Amino acid sequence: DQQVKQNSPSLSVQEGRISILNCDYTNSMFDYFLWYKKYPAEGPTFLISISSIKDKNEDGRFTVFLNKSAKHLSLHIVPSQPGDSAVYFCAASEGGSTLGRLYFGRGTQLTVWP
Amino acid sequence: DAMVIQNPRYQVTQFGKPVTLSCSQTLNHNVMYWYQQKSSQAPKLLFHYYDKDFNNEADTPDNFQSRRPNTSFCFLDIRSPGLGDAAMYLCATSREAQGKRNQPQHFGDGTRLSIL
């Protein structure tokens, strides 16, 4: 059963505008969340993370928001650039474990057009 | 640059013929992972090594084995590949320690395995 869900397989955004990628999870024990970006023929690259003690983390153009009560997180990219076109994976790990075992969503293909 | 390297990038094997995929890392990370990713699906953890300790996921088929001869290298062995094993196989590493969880995993570029 999928514990991390990305319900939008694709998103298309014009350059300069905001991209919002969404992720939902079902396991209330998850306490650490990550976003990875993946270009074709490459492995996933770590982008940004957030701990459950926070509700927002920002790194340059990328901001991740966490809503624990809704079990929902989102990644905002502002402004979007054509180079951001990639598959974005949401991932989560469970508290109480000594190992950061990750559960992944299926990914959202972001296309940023000029 | 420190990195995770997977070889080969593409592997074709015959149904039932054993195949080995390799992963090496220069990050000196103590944990190495193997994931299987099928088309349009989430990466699925097969197993991991925490230092020398091997940890198998409960639903990983017996057909899949792994070896870690030293810190830098990890191998994925598929003893008798079936058509359903065609997928992208991703290796990842992380540095984990007591009291210092939540370290991002670093991925290689994967090996795409095809079964004839």
Side-chain angles (χ1 to χ4, degrees), chain A residues 2 31-32 34 36 38 41-46 49 51 89 93-107, chain B residues 9-10 31 33 35 37 40-43 45 48 50 57 88 90 94 96-98 101-110:
Chain A
Q2 199 72 10
D31 69 347
Y32 181 56
L34 308 90
Y36 282 83
K38 185 181 182 304
E42 294 184 11
T45 303
F46 170 69
S49 64
S51 166
F89 289 97
S93 74
E94 190 174 308
S97 169
T98 57
L99 178 70
R101 186 198 187 286
L102 293 180
Y103 296 83
F104 282 87
R106 294 189 175 198
Chain B
R9 293 294 310 276
Y10 301 90
V31 187
Y33 309 78
Y35 289 86
Q37 186 184 16
S40 301
Q41 294 189 20
L45 183 64
H48 71 271
Y50 193 118
E57 293 296 300
M88 173 71 80
L90 294 164
S94 68
E96 304 283 341
Q98 285 287 351
R101 277 193 59 237
N102 298 340
Q103 303 300 309
Q105 292 180 18
H106 298 259
F107 284 82
D109 287 338

Side-chain angles (χ1 to χ4, degrees), chain A residues 46-47 55 57:
Chain A
F46 170 69
L47 191 58
D55 55 17
N57 189 26

Side-chain angles (χ1 to χ4, degrees), chain A residues 50-65:
Chain A
I50 187 167
S51 166
S52 61
I53 62 173
K54 296 184 176 181
D55 55 17
K56 176 183 174 181
N57 189 26
E58 192 171 351
D59 183 1
R61 297 186 297 114
F62 303 90
T63 303
V64 56
F65 295 92

Side-chain angles (χ1 to χ4, degrees), chain A:
Chain A
D1 190 26
Q2 199 72 10
Q3 298 188 58
V4 177
K5 298 179 183 179
Q6 294 177 256
N7 292 320
S8 297
S10 63
L11 175 67
S12 183
V13 172
Q14 187 175 24
E15 180 178 9
R17 295 192 176 267
I18 184 171
S19 295
I20 300 176
L21 297 104
N22 293 303
C23 178
D24 298 293
Y25 60 95
T26 57
N27 187 343
S28 58
M29 296 299 292
F30 286 152
D31 69 347
Y32 181 56
F33 304 88
L34 308 90
W35 285 95
Y36 282 83
K37 179 169 72 172
K38 185 181 182 304
Y39 292 119
E42 294 184 11
T45 303
F46 170 69
L47 191 58
I48 192 169
S49 64
I50 187 167
S51 166
S52 61
I53 62 173
K54 296 184 176 181
D55 55 17
K56 176 183 174 181
N57 189 26
E58 192 171 351
D59 183 1
R61 297 186 297 114
F62 303 90
T63 303
V64 56
F65 295 92
L66 176 62
N67 182 335
K68 290 186 289 294
S69 60
K71 295 192 177 69
H72 177 84
L73 66 155
S74 60
L75 174 68
H76 292 213
I77 307 174
V78 183
S80 301
Q81 299 174 354
D84 296 329
S85 297
V87 177
Y88 288 79
F89 289 97
C90 173
S93 74
E94 190 174 308
S97 169
T98 57
L99 178 70
R101 186 198 187 286
L102 293 180
Y103 296 83
F104 282 87
R106 294 189 175 198
T108 296
Q109 170 70 57
L110 173 66
T111 302
V112 181
W113 48 279

